[in-house]
Amino acid sequence: MASIRISRGNPTSEETAAVAALLVACLRRLHETGPSTEPPARRLPHRPGPAYRAPGSWAS
């Protein structure tokens, strides 16, 4: 599956058109396949993180 990432602040018209074409293709594919008959996947409950995280904890 294709993906496009616009990382600059002001996308060009070509970049915007490419994203729009990708979205239309994805939505068209979902529309043609129809709704899913399988039950939705069950997710685990959200577990909140610790209340305090040390400033340098990401580096350890």
Side-chain angles (χ1 to χ4, degrees), residues 1-58:
M1 179 174 226
S3 66
I4 296 175
R5 185 175 91 183
I6 297 175
S7 58
R8 294 180 304 212
N10 296 323
T12 65
S13 58
E14 290 84 12
E15 290 172 331
T16 306
V19 171
L22 182 66
L23 288 174
V24 167
C26 290
L27 290 174
R28 184 175 291 145
R29 183 173 160 208
L30 285 174
H31 180 69
E32 289 173 354
T33 59
S36 174
T37 57
E38 15 180 280
R42 296 180 63 189
R43 292 184 162 190
L44 295 174
H46 176 69
R47 194 172 87 188
Y52 173 76
R53 183 180 300 178
S57 64
W58 63 271

